[in-house]
Amino acid sequence: MWKKGMASAVLLVLIGLLAWNLFGPKEPAIGLEKGDQAPDFELKTLDGKTASLSDYRGKKVLVNFWATWCKPCRTEMPDLDAIRSENDQVEVLAVNLTTTEKSVDHVAAFTKELKVSFPVLLDQKGIQARYQVLSYPTTYILDEKGRIMSVKHQMLTKKEIEKELDL
């Protein structure tokens, strides 16, 4: 009788573990599709600090890939800055394709001219290739847990960003 009780208990535990593995909560895969966990990265900022994507968990994040020579990038910068300035729970990470720029000083002058307040990250490591960025600007919109909500391969207006972020 005792053996049957133990066997039943073990069987129930195994069934429970199987059900948990099949139907329990799962971490999203790291990838570049909607719902995936965005790949983490670490880059130097324009002001010499180091920033990683994971530093901004808890906020919605716009990872904006751009360059100074990109006219649509210049056009959307003020809207990106306004979104960040008006919303405490939104961060903009402007990842500059630094290897195509005249110099880091040129990038600094560009951002100073536009008076942007968000972090400018200098991509000299090929993060843009890792994110499969083929056109500029490209923006990955992430939720508070770092999951990809959407990817936009175009210039965004403030209204479009607000709609994407449900603001």
Side-chain angles (χ1 to χ4, degrees):
M1 185 74 147
W2 182 81
K3 288 182 183 179
K4 282 185 179 180
M6 278 303 279
S8 295
V10 168
L11 183 61
L12 284 174
V13 167
L14 290 174
I15 290 171
L17 287 172
L18 177 65
W20 177 261
N21 284 327
L22 290 175
F23 306 111
K26 296 194 182 357
E27 289 293 316
I30 294 174
L32 299 174
E33 302 296 325
K34 184 176 180 178
D36 288 347
Q37 187 73 36
D40 198 12
F41 58 81
E42 182 176 279
L43 294 170
K44 291 280 184 198
T45 62
L46 198 52
D47 60 4
K49 298 177 184 171
T50 301
S52 66
L53 180 58
S54 57
D55 292 342
Y56 298 94
R57 293 271 160 74
K59 290 186 172 189
K60 291 182 180 179
V61 178
L62 302 171
V63 182
N64 178 258
F65 293 95
W66 69 283
T68 61
W69 44 262
C70 165
K71 290 186 187 212
C73 298
R74 173 184 279 275
T75 302
E76 81 175 350
M77 287 275 178
D79 285 345
L80 292 171
D81 201 53
I83 289 290
R84 179 180 185 256
S85 298
E86 295 169 9
N87 300 282
D88 290 346
Q89 291 306 309
V90 177
E91 186 60 71
V92 173
L93 296 180
V95 180
N96 174 260
L97 180 54
T98 311
T99 56
T100 68
E101 300 290 357
K102 293 176 187 173
S103 68
V104 171
D105 290 338
H106 179 72
V107 176
F110 179 88
T111 57
K112 186 176 181 180
E113 175 191 335
L114 294 178
K115 298 177 181 148
V116 298
S117 62
F118 46 75
V120 174
L121 285 66
L122 303 172
D123 185 10
Q124 297 172 317
K125 295 182 176 183
I127 299 302
Q128 295 181 347
R130 191 162 142 211
Y131 270 76
Q132 300 176 358
V133 176
L134 301 174
S135 61
Y136 299 95
T138 291
T139 303
Y140 281 79
I141 300 171
L142 312 179
D143 69 12
E144 295 88 344
K145 294 181 180 179
R147 293 181 300 227
I148 297 170
M149 295 168 56
S150 65
V151 182
K152 301 297 180 184
H153 303 282
Q154 66 201 41
M155 183 187 82
L156 297 172
T157 65
K158 186 176 180 217
K159 251 184 195 177
E160 291 168 330
I161 296 167
E162 289 171 338
K163 183 178 178 186
E164 288 292 324
L165 294 172
D166 294 323
L167 298 176

